[in-house]
Amino acid sequence: MNAPKAAMSGRFNRLLMRLLKFGLVSVLLVILLAEMLSHNSGEKPPMFSWLAWVQWATSMLAIAVYAWYRPGRKRWIAAVAVASLVVTGIDAVYDQVVRGVGTAELLAMGLLLLFAIRHWDAAPGRWVAFVLGAAILLIGGVRLFTYEGSDVGGTAMVVMAMLSVIGFGAYLRSMDKLRRETQEEVRRAERLELAREMHDFVAHHVTGMVVLAQAGQVTDTDPRKAFADIEEAGLAALASMRRMVRMLRADDTGGGVNPLGDLSQIEDLVDRFSREGTDATCFISPELAGGAVAPEIAATAHRVVREALTNVRKHARGATRVRVVVAAASGQGLEVSVRDDGRAPRGRFGRESLAQSGAGLGLVGLRERIEAVGGQLRAQERPEGGWETAAWLPREAAPVEV
C-alpha cells in the first residue's frame, strides 16, 4: 500500500525545513570564512591572529548549536551566550584596533535568540534570553563596529534586528500557548463526557450480571456455570470502569465532545446528514448487530462517523456523495470508513494539512480516543479524488492493566 499523500506532504515539508537550515548554515560558514580571510590594504588577515581563532571557535559553536538545536536544549544557547561574552571581554582587554571576527556569530546568535524567546520558560530559565541579547549587543559595539562613526549606526541596526527577532519569537510563543490552551479545553470537555459515559457502559455490564443472576434462579443451569458467567460480566464492568478512570486521570487524554452513540444510531446520523443536501448512504454489516460489539467500541464508531461527516460539511467543497461503511474486519475487528468526492479548500487547509499537523482538534481527540480502545485511525486523500476517514477498531476494547 502506498503511503498516504498527507504523510508524503509532511515529509516534504520537513525536507524543505532541513534544506532551509542547511542553506542558512552554509551561508554562515561562508561569512565566517570571508571574515577570516578579508583585510584592509596594509593589514594582515585575521587568520594570522590567535584572538581571531578564538573568535572563530566561538562562531563555530554558535553555528553548531543552531544547526542541531531542538526544543529542550536551551542550555546550549546559554553556553553560546556565556562563551561569546567571555571572548568579547578578551577582545576588549586586548583593545584591538582592527575589526574582529563576529558577523557569523552575531547572525547565528540572532537565530538562537528566536528559540530563546519562543521557549521562554524552558530550562535553565528566562535569563538566557537576556544574556544572549547582551552578547549580541556587545559583539557589535566591541568587535565589529570599531571604525570611527560606525558604532552608533551599527548598534542601532543590531537593536532593530533584535527587536524584530524578539517580536517574531513572542508571536510564535503566543501561538504555541494558544494551541496548548485550546487542546486542554477540549480535553477537559472530553473527560466530563467520559464521566457521563462511564455510567452507561458500567450500567450495561451490571444489567447483564443482574439478568444472569435472575436466570440462574429460575432455570436448572449449573451453578458453577452461572457464577462463571456473572464473574465474566463483572470483570468486563470493572475493565470498562478502569479504562474510563484511566482516561479521566490522564493529563494528555483528548477527544471531542459529541454525545454517546452506538451502531444503531449511525444510520440516523447519516440520514440527517443526507437531508441537509448531500447524497449520503450507509451500510452496516449484519454480523455486527445483536451485541457483537462492546459498548465502548460502538460509541467510538459512532464518534468516527460523526467527526468525519462534520469534516465533510466544513472542508469538502462540492461534495455530492458520501459513503459510510461499518464492516467486519480481520482480527476480530471492524472497520469504519467515510468517503466523499469533495475537493479540499485552496492550500489543502482543513483536510490534508489538518490531518498531518494535528491542528484539527476533532481529529486529535478522535485519534486519541481510538487508540485508547486499541484501534487505529487514518485520514487521507483518495487516489480517485475525494477524502477518506477510516478507523480499525477491535470488537472488544483493549485490556486494561490493573
Side-chain angles (χ1 to χ4, degrees), residues 234-269:
L235 291 175
L238 286 175
S240 179
M241 184 171 61
R242 289 192 186 103
R243 184 177 300 107
M244 289 298 172
V245 170
R246 183 186 65 179
M247 295 173 70
L248 287 170
R249 288 177 176 175
D251 291 335
D252 59 347
T253 298
V257 292
N258 301 315
L260 174 65
D262 55 31
L263 296 184
S264 63
Q265 297 178 15
I266 291 179
E267 291 185 352
D268 295 335
L269 189 65

PDB file of all heavy atoms in Angstrom, residues 234-269:
ATOM      1  N   GLY A 234     -18.885  -9.283  35.487  1.00  0.00           N
ATOM      2  CA  GLY A 234     -18.330  -8.375  36.485  1.00  0.00           C
ATOM      3  C   GLY A 234     -16.943  -7.890  36.117  1.00  0.00           C
ATOM      4  O   GLY A 234     -16.619  -6.701  36.288  1.00  0.00           O
ATOM      5  N   LEU A 235     -16.105  -8.800  35.598  1.00  0.00           N
ATOM      6  CA  LEU A 235     -14.768  -8.392  35.160  1.00  0.00           C
ATOM      7  C   LEU A 235     -14.845  -7.409  34.003  1.00  0.00           C
ATOM      8  O   LEU A 235     -14.047  -6.468  33.920  1.00  0.00           O
ATOM      9  CB  LEU A 235     -13.959  -9.626  34.757  1.00  0.00           C
ATOM     10  CG  LEU A 235     -13.561 -10.573  35.904  1.00  0.00           C
ATOM     11  CD1 LEU A 235     -12.873 -11.819  35.355  1.00  0.00           C
ATOM     12  CD2 LEU A 235     -12.644  -9.865  36.888  1.00  0.00           C
ATOM     13  N   ALA A 236     -15.799  -7.631  33.097  1.00  0.00           N
ATOM     14  CA  ALA A 236     -15.962  -6.684  31.983  1.00  0.00           C
ATOM     15  C   ALA A 236     -16.368  -5.306  32.502  1.00  0.00           C
ATOM     16  O   ALA A 236     -15.905  -4.277  32.011  1.00  0.00           O
ATOM     17  CB  ALA A 236     -17.003  -7.209  31.002  1.00  0.00           C
ATOM     18  N   ALA A 237     -17.257  -5.282  33.520  1.00  0.00           N
ATOM     19  CA  ALA A 237     -17.669  -3.999  34.100  1.00  0.00           C
ATOM     20  C   ALA A 237     -16.487  -3.301  34.756  1.00  0.00           C
ATOM     21  O   ALA A 237     -16.304  -2.087  34.612  1.00  0.00           O
ATOM     22  CB  ALA A 237     -18.785  -4.218  35.107  1.00  0.00           C
ATOM     23  N   LEU A 238     -15.665  -4.067  35.498  1.00  0.00           N
ATOM     24  CA  LEU A 238     -14.500  -3.470  36.149  1.00  0.00           C
ATOM     25  C   LEU A 238     -13.509  -2.943  35.120  1.00  0.00           C
ATOM     26  O   LEU A 238     -12.927  -1.867  35.293  1.00  0.00           O
ATOM     27  CB  LEU A 238     -13.818  -4.515  37.043  1.00  0.00           C
ATOM     28  CG  LEU A 238     -14.546  -4.861  38.349  1.00  0.00           C
ATOM     29  CD1 LEU A 238     -13.834  -5.995  39.065  1.00  0.00           C
ATOM     30  CD2 LEU A 238     -14.634  -3.639  39.248  1.00  0.00           C
ATOM     31  N   ALA A 239     -13.294  -3.714  34.039  1.00  0.00           N
ATOM     32  CA  ALA A 239     -12.360  -3.265  32.999  1.00  0.00           C
ATOM     33  C   ALA A 239     -12.854  -1.985  32.352  1.00  0.00           C
ATOM     34  O   ALA A 239     -12.078  -1.058  32.100  1.00  0.00           O
ATOM     35  CB  ALA A 239     -12.175  -4.363  31.953  1.00  0.00           C
ATOM     36  N   SER A 240     -14.157  -1.922  32.085  1.00  0.00           N
ATOM     37  CA  SER A 240     -14.710  -0.711  31.483  1.00  0.00           C
ATOM     38  C   SER A 240     -14.534   0.484  32.409  1.00  0.00           C
ATOM     39  O   SER A 240     -14.154   1.576  31.981  1.00  0.00           O
ATOM     40  CB  SER A 240     -16.187  -0.925  31.171  1.00  0.00           C
ATOM     41  OG  SER A 240     -16.752   0.238  30.620  1.00  0.00           O
ATOM     42  N   MET A 241     -14.796   0.268  33.707  1.00  0.00           N
ATOM     43  CA  MET A 241     -14.661   1.363  34.657  1.00  0.00           C
ATOM     44  C   MET A 241     -13.205   1.798  34.793  1.00  0.00           C
ATOM     45  O   MET A 241     -12.911   2.989  34.822  1.00  0.00           O
ATOM     46  CB  MET A 241     -15.205   0.939  36.021  1.00  0.00           C
ATOM     47  CG  MET A 241     -15.196   2.047  37.067  1.00  0.00           C
ATOM     48  SD  MET A 241     -16.087   1.583  38.553  1.00  0.00           S
ATOM     49  CE  MET A 241     -15.120   0.160  39.087  1.00  0.00           C
ATOM     50  N   ARG A 242     -12.277   0.833  34.860  1.00  0.00           N
ATOM     51  CA  ARG A 242     -10.865   1.200  34.977  1.00  0.00           C
ATOM     52  C   ARG A 242     -10.396   1.953  33.749  1.00  0.00           C
ATOM     53  O   ARG A 242      -9.605   2.888  33.835  1.00  0.00           O
ATOM     54  CB  ARG A 242     -10.012  -0.061  35.162  1.00  0.00           C
ATOM     55  CG  ARG A 242     -10.173  -0.736  36.513  1.00  0.00           C
ATOM     56  CD  ARG A 242      -9.107  -1.788  36.723  1.00  0.00           C
ATOM     57  NE  ARG A 242      -9.311  -2.536  37.943  1.00  0.00           N
ATOM     58  CZ  ARG A 242      -9.811  -3.770  38.004  1.00  0.00           C
ATOM     59  NH1 ARG A 242     -10.137  -4.393  36.891  1.00  0.00           N
ATOM     60  NH2 ARG A 242      -9.965  -4.379  39.152  1.00  0.00           N
ATOM     61  N   ARG A 243     -10.881   1.549  32.584  1.00  0.00           N
ATOM     62  CA  ARG A 243     -10.465   2.220  31.349  1.00  0.00           C
ATOM     63  C   ARG A 243     -10.927   3.677  31.357  1.00  0.00           C
ATOM     64  O   ARG A 243     -10.175   4.583  31.008  1.00  0.00           O
ATOM     65  CB  ARG A 243     -11.056   1.488  30.142  1.00  0.00           C
ATOM     66  CG  ARG A 243     -10.605   2.033  28.802  1.00  0.00           C
ATOM     67  CD  ARG A 243     -11.168   1.205  27.673  1.00  0.00           C
ATOM     68  NE  ARG A 243     -10.735  -0.177  27.745  1.00  0.00           N
ATOM     69  CZ  ARG A 243     -11.525  -1.196  28.099  1.00  0.00           C
ATOM     70  NH1 ARG A 243     -12.791  -0.982  28.393  1.00  0.00           N
ATOM     71  NH2 ARG A 243     -11.061  -2.418  28.142  1.00  0.00           N
ATOM     72  N   MET A 244     -12.166   3.884  31.776  1.00  0.00           N
ATOM     73  CA  MET A 244     -12.681   5.243  31.820  1.00  0.00           C
ATOM     74  C   MET A 244     -11.956   6.079  32.869  1.00  0.00           C
ATOM     75  O   MET A 244     -11.625   7.246  32.647  1.00  0.00           O
ATOM     76  CB  MET A 244     -14.184   5.229  32.105  1.00  0.00           C
ATOM     77  CG  MET A 244     -15.011   4.721  30.941  1.00  0.00           C
ATOM     78  SD  MET A 244     -14.816   5.777  29.494  1.00  0.00           S
ATOM     79  CE  MET A 244     -15.687   4.815  28.271  1.00  0.00           C
ATOM     80  N   VAL A 245     -11.699   5.483  34.041  1.00  0.00           N
ATOM     81  CA  VAL A 245     -10.997   6.225  35.085  1.00  0.00           C
ATOM     82  C   VAL A 245      -9.591   6.587  34.634  1.00  0.00           C
ATOM     83  O   VAL A 245      -9.102   7.694  34.883  1.00  0.00           O
ATOM     84  CB  VAL A 245     -10.958   5.402  36.391  1.00  0.00           C
ATOM     85  CG1 VAL A 245     -10.027   6.045  37.405  1.00  0.00           C
ATOM     86  CG2 VAL A 245     -12.355   5.278  36.967  1.00  0.00           C
ATOM     87  N   ARG A 246      -8.934   5.654  33.943  1.00  0.00           N
ATOM     88  CA  ARG A 246      -7.590   5.948  33.443  1.00  0.00           C
ATOM     89  C   ARG A 246      -7.612   7.097  32.455  1.00  0.00           C
ATOM     90  O   ARG A 246      -6.760   7.987  32.488  1.00  0.00           O
ATOM     91  CB  ARG A 246      -7.003   4.702  32.770  1.00  0.00           C
ATOM     92  CG  ARG A 246      -5.573   4.895  32.274  1.00  0.00           C
ATOM     93  CD  ARG A 246      -5.102   3.697  31.484  1.00  0.00           C
ATOM     94  NE  ARG A 246      -5.878   3.551  30.266  1.00  0.00           N
ATOM     95  CZ  ARG A 246      -5.672   2.586  29.359  1.00  0.00           C
ATOM     96  NH1 ARG A 246      -4.723   1.703  29.557  1.00  0.00           N
ATOM     97  NH2 ARG A 246      -6.420   2.507  28.278  1.00  0.00           N
ATOM     98  N   MET A 247      -8.601   7.125  31.572  1.00  0.00           N
ATOM     99  CA  MET A 247      -8.692   8.206  30.595  1.00  0.00           C
ATOM    100  C   MET A 247      -9.037   9.531  31.272  1.00  0.00           C
ATOM    101  O   MET A 247      -8.584  10.591  30.858  1.00  0.00           O
ATOM    102  CB  MET A 247      -9.740   7.864  29.531  1.00  0.00           C
ATOM    103  CG  MET A 247      -9.358   6.660  28.674  1.00  0.00           C
ATOM    104  SD  MET A 247     -10.673   6.153  27.558  1.00  0.00           S
ATOM    105  CE  MET A 247     -10.668   7.505  26.398  1.00  0.00           C
ATOM    106  N   LEU A 248      -9.841   9.464  32.350  1.00  0.00           N
ATOM    107  CA  LEU A 248     -10.171  10.694  33.069  1.00  0.00           C
ATOM    108  C   LEU A 248      -8.960  11.260  33.787  1.00  0.00           C
ATOM    109  O   LEU A 248      -8.790  12.467  33.895  1.00  0.00           O
ATOM    110  CB  LEU A 248     -11.284  10.410  34.085  1.00  0.00           C
ATOM    111  CG  LEU A 248     -12.688  10.199  33.503  1.00  0.00           C
ATOM    112  CD1 LEU A 248     -13.616   9.681  34.586  1.00  0.00           C
ATOM    113  CD2 LEU A 248     -13.224  11.490  32.920  1.00  0.00           C
ATOM    114  N   ARG A 249      -8.092  10.368  34.313  1.00  0.00           N
ATOM    115  CA  ARG A 249      -6.935  10.818  35.060  1.00  0.00           C
ATOM    116  C   ARG A 249      -5.806  11.283  34.166  1.00  0.00           C
ATOM    117  O   ARG A 249      -4.967  12.077  34.573  1.00  0.00           O
ATOM    118  CB  ARG A 249      -6.419   9.686  35.955  1.00  0.00           C
ATOM    119  CG  ARG A 249      -7.326   9.388  37.138  1.00  0.00           C
ATOM    120  CD  ARG A 249      -6.786   8.219  37.929  1.00  0.00           C
ATOM    121  NE  ARG A 249      -7.583   7.971  39.125  1.00  0.00           N
ATOM    122  CZ  ARG A 249      -7.389   6.944  39.942  1.00  0.00           C
ATOM    123  NH1 ARG A 249      -6.444   6.059  39.687  1.00  0.00           N
ATOM    124  NH2 ARG A 249      -8.142   6.785  41.007  1.00  0.00           N
ATOM    125  N   ALA A 250      -5.737  10.759  32.934  1.00  0.00           N
ATOM    126  CA  ALA A 250      -4.606  11.078  32.058  1.00  0.00           C
ATOM    127  C   ALA A 250      -4.634  12.548  31.683  1.00  0.00           C
ATOM    128  O   ALA A 250      -5.643  13.087  31.252  1.00  0.00           O
ATOM    129  CB  ALA A 250      -4.654  10.214  30.793  1.00  0.00           C
ATOM    130  N   ASP A 251      -3.475  13.191  31.845  1.00  0.00           N
ATOM    131  CA  ASP A 251      -3.373  14.622  31.503  1.00  0.00           C
ATOM    132  C   ASP A 251      -3.443  14.850  30.023  1.00  0.00           C
ATOM    133  O   ASP A 251      -3.815  15.909  29.556  1.00  0.00           O
ATOM    134  CB  ASP A 251      -2.069  15.199  32.062  1.00  0.00           C
ATOM    135  CG  ASP A 251      -2.106  15.268  33.574  1.00  0.00           C
ATOM    136  OD1 ASP A 251      -3.212  15.337  34.141  1.00  0.00           O
ATOM    137  OD2 ASP A 251      -1.018  15.269  34.158  1.00  0.00           O
ATOM    138  N   ASP A 252      -3.016  13.854  29.222  1.00  0.00           N
ATOM    139  CA  ASP A 252      -2.941  14.056  27.775  1.00  0.00           C
ATOM    140  C   ASP A 252      -4.058  13.350  27.041  1.00  0.00           C
ATOM    141  O   ASP A 252      -3.958  13.074  25.865  1.00  0.00           O
ATOM    142  CB  ASP A 252      -1.588  13.563  27.245  1.00  0.00           C
ATOM    143  CG  ASP A 252      -1.361  12.095  27.551  1.00  0.00           C
ATOM    144  OD1 ASP A 252      -2.119  11.532  28.362  1.00  0.00           O
ATOM    145  OD2 ASP A 252      -0.419  11.536  26.973  1.00  0.00           O
ATOM    146  N   THR A 253      -5.141  12.993  27.734  1.00  0.00           N
ATOM    147  CA  THR A 253      -6.263  12.382  27.051  1.00  0.00           C
ATOM    148  C   THR A 253      -7.022  13.448  26.302  1.00  0.00           C
ATOM    149  O   THR A 253      -7.354  14.483  26.855  1.00  0.00           O
ATOM    150  CB  THR A 253      -7.202  11.691  28.046  1.00  0.00           C
ATOM    151  OG1 THR A 253      -6.474  10.646  28.692  1.00  0.00           O
ATOM    152  CG2 THR A 253      -8.407  11.088  27.352  1.00  0.00           C
ATOM    153  N   GLY A 254      -7.309  13.207  25.035  1.00  0.00           N
ATOM    154  CA  GLY A 254      -8.011  14.210  24.255  1.00  0.00           C
ATOM    155  C   GLY A 254      -9.271  13.647  23.666  1.00  0.00           C
ATOM    156  O   GLY A 254      -9.612  12.495  23.817  1.00  0.00           O
ATOM    157  N   GLY A 255      -9.982  14.461  22.930  1.00  0.00           N
ATOM    158  CA  GLY A 255     -11.135  13.972  22.232  1.00  0.00           C
ATOM    159  C   GLY A 255     -12.122  15.050  21.949  1.00  0.00           C
ATOM    160  O   GLY A 255     -12.007  16.186  22.338  1.00  0.00           O
ATOM    161  N   GLY A 256     -13.189  14.642  21.285  1.00  0.00           N
ATOM    162  CA  GLY A 256     -14.266  15.555  21.005  1.00  0.00           C
ATOM    163  C   GLY A 256     -15.270  15.538  22.138  1.00  0.00           C
ATOM    164  O   GLY A 256     -15.096  14.884  23.149  1.00  0.00           O
ATOM    165  N   VAL A 257     -16.362  16.233  21.945  1.00  0.00           N
ATOM    166  CA  VAL A 257     -17.368  16.339  22.993  1.00  0.00           C
ATOM    167  C   VAL A 257     -18.738  15.967  22.444  1.00  0.00           C
ATOM    168  O   VAL A 257     -19.744  16.539  22.824  1.00  0.00           O
ATOM    169  CB  VAL A 257     -17.396  17.765  23.573  1.00  0.00           C
ATOM    170  CG1 VAL A 257     -16.139  18.049  24.316  1.00  0.00           C
ATOM    171  CG2 VAL A 257     -17.571  18.804  22.463  1.00  0.00           C
ATOM    172  N   ASN A 258     -18.779  14.960  21.558  1.00  0.00           N
ATOM    173  CA  ASN A 258     -20.031  14.549  20.986  1.00  0.00           C
ATOM    174  C   ASN A 258     -20.750  13.592  21.925  1.00  0.00           C
ATOM    175  O   ASN A 258     -20.126  12.878  22.706  1.00  0.00           O
ATOM    176  CB  ASN A 258     -19.791  13.855  19.641  1.00  0.00           C
ATOM    177  CG  ASN A 258     -19.090  14.776  18.684  1.00  0.00           C
ATOM    178  OD1 ASN A 258     -19.464  15.924  18.568  1.00  0.00           O
ATOM    179  ND2 ASN A 258     -18.064  14.303  18.017  1.00  0.00           N
ATOM    180  N   PRO A 259     -22.074  13.533  21.880  1.00  0.00           N
ATOM    181  CA  PRO A 259     -22.812  12.666  22.774  1.00  0.00           C
ATOM    182  C   PRO A 259     -22.583  11.198  22.454  1.00  0.00           C
ATOM    183  O   PRO A 259     -22.193  10.826  21.359  1.00  0.00           O
ATOM    184  CB  PRO A 259     -24.270  13.067  22.511  1.00  0.00           C
ATOM    185  CG  PRO A 259     -24.258  13.646  21.136  1.00  0.00           C
ATOM    186  CD  PRO A 259     -22.939  14.308  21.002  1.00  0.00           C
ATOM    187  N   LEU A 260     -22.883  10.351  23.455  1.00  0.00           N
ATOM    188  CA  LEU A 260     -22.716   8.917  23.322  1.00  0.00           C
ATOM    189  C   LEU A 260     -23.643   8.377  22.242  1.00  0.00           C
ATOM    190  O   LEU A 260     -24.802   8.742  22.164  1.00  0.00           O
ATOM    191  CB  LEU A 260     -23.019   8.260  24.672  1.00  0.00           C
ATOM    192  CG  LEU A 260     -23.048   6.728  24.706  1.00  0.00           C
ATOM    193  CD1 LEU A 260     -21.659   6.201  24.402  1.00  0.00           C
ATOM    194  CD2 LEU A 260     -23.528   6.261  26.064  1.00  0.00           C
ATOM    195  N   GLY A 261     -23.142   7.479  21.391  1.00  0.00           N
ATOM    196  CA  GLY A 261     -23.948   6.858  20.358  1.00  0.00           C
ATOM    197  C   GLY A 261     -23.556   5.407  20.199  1.00  0.00           C
ATOM    198  O   GLY A 261     -22.626   4.918  20.824  1.00  0.00           O
ATOM    199  N   ASP A 262     -24.267   4.685  19.347  1.00  0.00           N
ATOM    200  CA  ASP A 262     -23.931   3.293  19.075  1.00  0.00           C
ATOM    201  C   ASP A 262     -24.153   3.016  17.595  1.00  0.00           C
ATOM    202  O   ASP A 262     -24.499   3.904  16.818  1.00  0.00           O
ATOM    203  CB  ASP A 262     -24.735   2.346  19.969  1.00  0.00           C
ATOM    204  CG  ASP A 262     -26.237   2.588  19.847  1.00  0.00           C
ATOM    205  OD1 ASP A 262     -26.681   2.991  18.759  1.00  0.00           O
ATOM    206  OD2 ASP A 262     -26.953   2.377  20.838  1.00  0.00           O
ATOM    207  N   LEU A 263     -23.983   1.745  17.204  1.00  0.00           N
ATOM    208  CA  LEU A 263     -24.081   1.412  15.781  1.00  0.00           C
ATOM    209  C   LEU A 263     -25.483   1.670  15.241  1.00  0.00           C
ATOM    210  O   LEU A 263     -25.638   2.080  14.084  1.00  0.00           O
ATOM    211  CB  LEU A 263     -23.695  -0.063  15.577  1.00  0.00           C
ATOM    212  CG  LEU A 263     -22.252  -0.454  15.916  1.00  0.00           C
ATOM    213  CD1 LEU A 263     -22.005  -1.912  15.569  1.00  0.00           C
ATOM    214  CD2 LEU A 263     -21.257   0.432  15.182  1.00  0.00           C
ATOM    215  N   SER A 264     -26.504   1.425  16.061  1.00  0.00           N
ATOM    216  CA  SER A 264     -27.874   1.610  15.578  1.00  0.00           C
ATOM    217  C   SER A 264     -28.190   3.068  15.279  1.00  0.00           C
ATOM    218  O   SER A 264     -29.100   3.360  14.502  1.00  0.00           O
ATOM    219  CB  SER A 264     -28.864   1.062  16.611  1.00  0.00           C
ATOM    220  OG  SER A 264     -28.771   1.798  17.822  1.00  0.00           O
ATOM    221  N   GLN A 265     -27.445   3.985  15.877  1.00  0.00           N
ATOM    222  CA  GLN A 265     -27.698   5.408  15.661  1.00  0.00           C
ATOM    223  C   GLN A 265     -26.923   5.969  14.479  1.00  0.00           C
ATOM    224  O   GLN A 265     -27.132   7.125  14.104  1.00  0.00           O
ATOM    225  CB  GLN A 265     -27.345   6.193  16.920  1.00  0.00           C
ATOM    226  CG  GLN A 265     -28.190   5.822  18.128  1.00  0.00           C
ATOM    227  CD  GLN A 265     -27.777   6.579  19.373  1.00  0.00           C
ATOM    228  OE1 GLN A 265     -27.057   7.566  19.287  1.00  0.00           O
ATOM    229  NE2 GLN A 265     -28.212   6.119  20.531  1.00  0.00           N
ATOM    230  N   ILE A 266     -26.006   5.189  13.909  1.00  0.00           N
ATOM    231  CA  ILE A 266     -25.214   5.692  12.786  1.00  0.00           C
ATOM    232  C   ILE A 266     -26.098   5.944  11.575  1.00  0.00           C
ATOM    233  O   ILE A 266     -25.945   6.954  10.866  1.00  0.00           O
ATOM    234  CB  ILE A 266     -24.070   4.710  12.462  1.00  0.00           C
ATOM    235  CG1 ILE A 266     -23.033   4.725  13.593  1.00  0.00           C
ATOM    236  CG2 ILE A 266     -23.411   5.063  11.126  1.00  0.00           C
ATOM    237  CD1 ILE A 266     -21.870   3.780  13.374  1.00  0.00           C
ATOM    238  N   GLU A 267     -27.049   5.032  11.309  1.00  0.00           N
ATOM    239  CA  GLU A 267     -27.951   5.231  10.169  1.00  0.00           C
ATOM    240  C   GLU A 267     -28.763   6.512  10.319  1.00  0.00           C
ATOM    241  O   GLU A 267     -28.953   7.249   9.352  1.00  0.00           O
ATOM    242  CB  GLU A 267     -28.868   4.023  10.019  1.00  0.00           C
ATOM    243  CG  GLU A 267     -28.149   2.749   9.563  1.00  0.00           C
ATOM    244  CD  GLU A 267     -29.116   1.614   9.308  1.00  0.00           C
ATOM    245  OE1 GLU A 267     -30.320   1.770   9.623  1.00  0.00           O
ATOM    246  OE2 GLU A 267     -28.679   0.572   8.809  1.00  0.00           O
ATOM    247  N   ASP A 268     -29.249   6.778  11.534  1.00  0.00           N
ATOM    248  CA  ASP A 268     -29.977   8.026  11.757  1.00  0.00           C
ATOM    249  C   ASP A 268     -29.081   9.238  11.533  1.00  0.00           C
ATOM    250  O   ASP A 268     -29.509  10.260  10.975  1.00  0.00           O
ATOM    251  CB  ASP A 268     -30.525   8.055  13.188  1.00  0.00           C
ATOM    252  CG  ASP A 268     -31.562   6.972  13.426  1.00  0.00           C
ATOM    253  OD1 ASP A 268     -32.185   6.536  12.437  1.00  0.00           O
ATOM    254  OD2 ASP A 268     -31.728   6.560  14.592  1.00  0.00           O
ATOM    255  N   LEU A 269     -27.823   9.115  11.951  1.00  0.00           N
ATOM    256  CA  LEU A 269     -26.870  10.205  11.756  1.00  0.00           C
ATOM    257  C   LEU A 269     -26.662  10.485  10.277  1.00  0.00           C
ATOM    258  O   LEU A 269     -26.653  11.640   9.833  1.00  0.00           O
ATOM    259  CB  LEU A 269     -25.543   9.831  12.427  1.00  0.00           C
ATOM    260  CG  LEU A 269     -24.463  10.905  12.530  1.00  0.00           C
ATOM    261  CD1 LEU A 269     -24.924  12.032  13.434  1.00  0.00           C
ATOM    262  CD2 LEU A 269     -23.181  10.286  13.079  1.00  0.00           C
TER     263      LEU A 269
END
